[in-house]
Amino acid sequence: QVQLVESGGGLVQPGGSLRLSCAASGSIFSANTMGWYRQAPGKEREWVATITGGGSTSYADSVKGRFTISRDSAKKTVYLQMNSLKPEDTAVYFCYLRVAPSWKVNWGQGTQVTVSS
């Protein structure tokens, strides 16, 4: 019922920056949590960052201090500002949304981020 569309991925040099966006539509309430996972080639999917409906944020240790998650006031769009990018950040980045009352996870299709010289 909920649909998510990511954008903003691409090719960037090491040390560069990208900003990912994820726009949600459907049965969305203010009581929700949004965030990002990523999956690098040949690796397991890993959690990157989360922002709750109340605005609390959390980050994986691997991106802490470099990535910033945020949202719009309507809580329907989440962003991931990625700075000081490293080759190991190369992955497909997936947006997710969990919304009350079920709190089931809704996933976007993913957007490719490639960090390479």
Side-chain angles (χ1 to χ4, degrees):
Q1 191 171 20
V2 175
Q3 295 179 332
L4 302 172
V5 179
E6 300 102 331
S7 62
L11 175 64
V12 65
Q13 301 289 327
S17 298
L18 285 174
R19 192 189 195 205
L20 306 183
S21 299
C22 175
S25 61
S27 299
I28 304 169
F29 300 90
S30 59
N32 65 74
T33 295
M34 301 186 74
W36 298 88
Y37 277 75
R38 67 185 183 185
Q39 188 164 20
K43 297 183 179 180
E44 188 66 54
R45 184 184 66 176
E46 67 173 337
W47 170 73
V48 175
T50 294
I51 185 165
T52 70
S56 298
T57 60
S58 56
Y59 301 91
D61 289 341
S62 59
V63 306
K64 194 173 299 181
R66 300 187 297 118
F67 291 11
T68 302
I69 188 170
S70 61
R71 65 176 187 204
D72 67 352
S73 59
K75 302 178 183 179
K76 293 184 178 181
T77 304
V78 65
Y79 306 93
L80 187 67
Q81 178 67 46
M82 305 184 295
N83 299 325
S84 302
L85 283 163
K86 306 174 181 179
E88 50 262 47
D89 295 317
T90 296
V92 177
Y93 284 71
F94 298 92
C95 171
Y96 75 86
L97 166 70
R98 300 195 298 123
V99 61
S102 69
W103 297 109
K104 294 186 66 174
V105 178
N106 302 272
W107 294 100
Q109 293 296 307
T111 185
Q112 176 70 49
V113 172
T114 302
V115 184
S116 176
S117 59

